[in-house]
Amino acid sequence: MDRISNLPQPILHHILSFLSQREAIQTCVLSKSWRYRGSTRPYFEFRERCFNADKETFLSVMDKILHRYHDQKISVQKFLVEMSMVDSESISFLEKWIPLVILNKGVNTFILNFLSYTSAHFALPSIVYKAEFLKELNLKRCKLSQLNPLDEVLFKHLQKLSLTYVYIADETFEKIMSSCPLIEYVNLEGCEGLKNIKVNKAHKLKNFDFDDYLISKEEDGLSIEIDAPTIESISIMGRTNWFHHHKNFPYLKYLHLENVRLSTKSFDNFSFDYPCLEELELLFCHGFEEFRLLSRSIKHLTIAVDRSIKAAIDATNILHFGFISNFLPSISFRTTSSKWKSRIHLMDYVDVHYDASSSFLKLNELVKALSRSEISLHIEDHPLVVPDTYTGFNKPVVVENLIFGGHSSSSFPTFLNCLFHICRPKKIGDESFLVEEIEWEREDEQRAEFLCKNLLMEREMRRYFWQQDLEEVSMEAFDRNGRKWHPVQGTSLPECALPNNQLKQNLRFRLKWRELSYLAFT
């Protein structure tokens, strides 16, 4: 006995909502009573790519199904359409059906995406603003019509707003936001027309994401003002200004700012006005040369800069600190955390005022400031000039991981000798044999061979001072199947050559140094 077919239609539609549009339509073969049930479920989801680029069939099928919805007075709860591009046929179809779908007053999810990279935008009918039961609005390559002061926006149930490459004026965005008392998530990516973004009185907002990498450096950038006492996550990427010097975000946990103009006052915010802030990422922000950061809540801190900076950081409960730059910073670091990690990524040396002695002294001070952490030091490309003397260096600091990248040169041995006055790594890797299936260049091979020969050399043949402190050296390969490192056979000290790595495994050296106790945490 077919009990499922006798269930009330709302229950059957609920069951079908767990299937994709294609799967739901395929239920038509079950019996005569199921012939149209799959195509009249309340979820209307169509993607042009599923029709093998047959735009005419794509539009025809959607038109027939929407006619069936309209004739049977079935309301659409979810309207999702993805099209390749904005053209006359698409515009005619959407202008015909969007008002009818909205007027049924059942739609709570409206997603309309145009996927092609064209400058054309589809002008969304203003009737969309009347969708009072709407909970999610997701648009890509559309244009939102300008609102007059007397126009109403009935988004009293809207919780999620996502606009990608959408043209929208400041006044329209502000009007929408002021009409969404339940809004929780806002995402703006590559939108045009916005200059002053205001998110005011958003008492339910939890996440705000903004990404506009197209803003040129010549422009002053736009401003973003957020007044959301319940917000938990903010991500802003683009040439914008941070105007929140007197705003308190008591529940903010994650803050990501990239290419944003800050000031020293901004760091006072991070220190005192965001008591729950756990993750702070400042990537290539500008407007400051020196700052002080004091926080008991921050656990993950990442800073990337394209200039020299001076920083005093006091992060009581830090778990991870990351620094990325072409320039060596002057950093002091205080924490009571007993176990934390730091990752220093030094990119190409582009400083025209580069001075070998002062740069290595700065690197020495940097690893000393982070010596109570588990340090990973990634040097993208070593400098061609190294100091002639090593005076002024502190005792070498233990480094958990040392990774080299970029091009090698004849100065690499001298550079490595100088570097080992600063740190003593437990593990050494090289991008040339850490990256899967990389094409080795001759310079990469020379650097790898130098590491192999000088690390695996017999003690009586060692000529560098640091070689005398090496007690044990082994080579390891990463087993991608077992997801673990294992020793490489045939790398005993007399055999100073790289193994035949036909499997293109990731390789690394593991080092044990003499008297590590006096080196660590100095």
Side-chain angles (χ1 to χ4, degrees):
M1 182 177 179
D2 185 7
R3 294 182 178 180
I4 295 180
S5 297
N6 294 325
L7 291 173
Q9 183 163 287
I11 295 179
L12 291 174
H13 281 162
H14 180 69
I15 295 173
L16 290 170
S17 69
F18 293 97
L19 304 178
S20 68
Q21 189 77 41
R22 179 186 293 271
E23 292 169 337
I25 292 176
Q26 288 174 344
T27 62
C28 68
V29 300
L30 296 177
S31 67
K32 289 184 178 179
S33 63
W34 281 82
R35 183 175 182 182
Y36 296 114
R37 277 184 177 147
S39 59
T40 57
R41 65 178 191 149
Y43 283 15
F44 182 85
E45 301 175 79
F46 280 90
R47 296 172 174 85
E48 186 177 338
R49 66 174 183 269
C50 297
F51 287 76
N52 298 319
D54 187 347
K55 188 67 168 283
E56 183 178 351
T57 302
F58 173 61
L59 294 175
S60 175
V61 170
M62 289 196 298
D63 189 71
K64 289 179 182 178
I65 291 177
L66 284 172
H67 266 296
R68 194 172 295 127
Y69 275 70
H70 184 259
D71 294 342
Q72 298 182 25
K73 295 181 171 55
I74 298 173
S75 63
V76 178
Q77 295 178 17
K78 181 178 181 179
F79 181 87
L80 185 156
V81 175
E82 286 187 356
M83 295 184 171
S84 60
M85 61 186 298
V86 181
D87 53 27
S88 57
E89 293 82 4
S90 302
I91 293 173
S92 298
F93 169 82
L94 293 171
E95 288 181 342
K96 170 185 175 182
W97 283 112
I98 287 178
L100 295 175
V101 169
I102 298 299
L103 289 174
N104 270 334
K105 297 185 177 181
V107 62
N108 55 49
T109 301
F110 188 94
I111 301 173
L112 178 59
N113 292 337
F114 292 93
L115 304 180
S116 61
Y117 292 92
T118 63
S119 58
H121 289 70
F122 170 69
L124 198 69
S126 59
I127 188 67
V128 172
Y129 296 131
K130 308 299 181 184
E132 58 181 312
F133 297 104
L134 198 62
K135 292 183 178 180
E136 178 182 351
L137 178 61
N138 186 321
L139 304 174
K140 186 172 184 178
R141 290 190 174 83
C142 295
K143 180 179 181 180
L144 287 169
S145 58
Q146 184 80 36
L147 287 169
N148 296 317
L150 298 179
D151 289 338
E152 279 190 304
V153 177
L154 303 180
F155 287 166
K156 58 184 179 181
H157 294 103
L158 192 68
Q159 298 175 359
K160 184 176 181 180
L161 176 65
S162 181
L163 306 178
T164 304
Y165 306 122
V166 169
Y167 186 90
I168 179 172
D170 286 335
E171 298 77 12
T172 301
F173 179 77
E174 188 173 356
K175 181 81 172 181
I176 290 175
M177 291 306 303
S178 63
S179 305
C180 305
L182 301 181
I183 192 76
E184 295 182 359
Y185 175 83
V186 174
N187 176 69
L188 306 173
E189 181 179 349
C191 293
E192 299 179 51
L194 293 172
K195 292 298 180 182
N196 299 288
I197 299 174
K198 293 183 179 181
V199 182
N200 293 324
K201 300 179 180 180
H203 298 295
K204 298 287 186 179
L205 187 64
K206 295 185 182 299
N207 295 277
F208 178 85
D209 295 330
F210 173 86
D211 184 354
D212 195 350
Y213 55 88
L214 297 176
I215 300 177
S216 67
K217 292 184 177 181
E218 288 72 23
E219 296 182 29
D220 294 333
L222 51 80
S223 64
I224 298 177
E225 183 179 337
I226 301 173
D227 181 9
T230 60
I231 198 160
E232 297 177 1
S233 174
I234 297 176
S235 176
I236 299 176
M237 294 184 284
R239 197 169 181 83
T240 61
N241 298 303
W242 182 255
F243 292 129
H244 297 85
H245 297 155
H246 304 290
K247 294 289 173 60
N248 190 315
F249 296 133
Y251 300 104
L252 185 65
K253 295 180 180 179
Y254 173 76
L255 178 60
H256 175 103
L257 302 177
E258 186 170 344
N259 201 24
V260 174
R261 176 173 290 279
L262 303 175
S263 68
T264 53
K265 290 183 179 180
S266 303
F267 291 90
D268 292 338
N269 292 138
F270 307 151
S271 299
F272 306 113
D273 296 333
Y274 313 150
C276 292
L277 186 61
E278 295 183 356
E279 189 167 355
L280 176 61
E281 298 175 349
L282 305 176
L283 306 184
F284 303 105
C285 295
H286 44 96
F288 64 93
E289 303 294 336
E290 183 176 350
F291 69 86
R292 177 178 176 82
L293 180 63
L294 173 65
S295 175
R296 294 180 179 273
S297 61
I298 291 178
K299 296 180 180 179
H300 302 274
L301 174 62
T302 303
I303 298 175
V305 291
D306 54 6
R307 63 194 179 283
S308 180
I309 64 167
K310 184 177 181 180
I313 300 172
D314 190 338
T316 306
N317 297 304
I318 193 74
L319 295 178
H320 179 269
F321 171 68
F323 181 81
I324 306 169
S325 183
N326 296 5
F327 299 83
L328 285 161
S330 175
I331 292 180
S332 64
F333 211 108
R334 292 183 58 189
T335 182
T336 58
S337 185
S338 59
K339 191 174 183 180
W340 58 291
K341 297 181 180 181
S342 59
R343 177 176 174 83
I344 309 303
H345 188 163
L346 301 177
M347 299 186 291
D348 297 345
Y349 282 79
V350 298
D351 187 359
V352 294
H353 303 295
Y354 171 77
D355 177 78
S357 297
S358 64
S359 292
F360 274 86
L361 285 172
K362 283 184 177 181
L363 180 58
N364 186 216
E365 292 297 326
L366 178 60
V367 294
K368 180 184 177 183
L370 303 174
S371 61
R372 294 190 176 274
S373 69
E374 184 180 293
I375 302 174
S376 291
L377 178 59
H378 186 167
I379 300 178
E380 188 77 23
D381 200 356
H382 70 272
L384 299 178
V385 180
V386 295
D388 297 326
T389 61
Y390 309 113
T391 57
F393 288 174
N394 296 294
K395 292 179 179 179
V397 172
V398 174
V399 169
E400 188 69 22
N401 297 288
L402 177 61
I403 300 174
F404 298 109
H407 294 287
S408 183
S409 70
S410 58
S411 65
F412 180 72
T414 309
F415 163 74
L416 192 66
N417 189 42
C418 185
L419 186 63
F420 282 170
H421 276 82
I422 295 173
C423 67
R424 295 296 167 85
K426 291 183 178 181
K427 295 183 284 288
I428 297 181
D430 187 300
E431 283 188 338
S432 305
F433 48 85
L434 283 176
V435 180
E436 183 179 1
E437 298 182 359
I438 193 169
E439 292 294 332
W440 277 28
E441 297 182 3
R442 178 56 185 163
E443 292 176 339
D444 299 323
E445 186 176 349
Q446 289 175 347
R447 181 172 55 215
E449 288 177 351
F450 174 83
L451 284 170
C452 185
K453 290 179 180 179
N454 284 274
L455 293 175
L456 299 175
M457 187 179 293
E458 289 283 11
R459 185 177 296 276
E460 59 271 15
M461 298 177 62
R462 298 175 182 178
R463 58 191 181 94
Y464 294 113
F465 85 99
W466 51 268
Q467 290 174 323
Q468 304 305 316
D469 290 336
L470 273 176
E471 290 189 342
E472 295 180 13
V473 182
S474 61
M475 189 179 293
E476 299 176 333
F478 187 72
D479 180 3
R480 293 189 178 89
N481 295 323
R483 306 301 299 172
K484 63 181 181 180
W485 292 91
H486 62 82
V488 174
Q489 301 298 322
T491 57
S492 59
L493 290 178
E495 300 173 0
C496 301
L498 285 170
N500 184 11
N501 191 15
Q502 293 181 347
L503 297 178
K504 296 182 179 179
Q505 296 172 302
N506 292 357
L507 303 175
R508 72 180 182 188
F509 296 98
R510 181 179 288 275
L511 285 63
K512 181 180 179 182
W513 296 88
R514 178 172 56 86
E515 297 181 4
L516 275 180
S517 58
Y518 94 89
L519 295 172
F521 308 147
T522 56

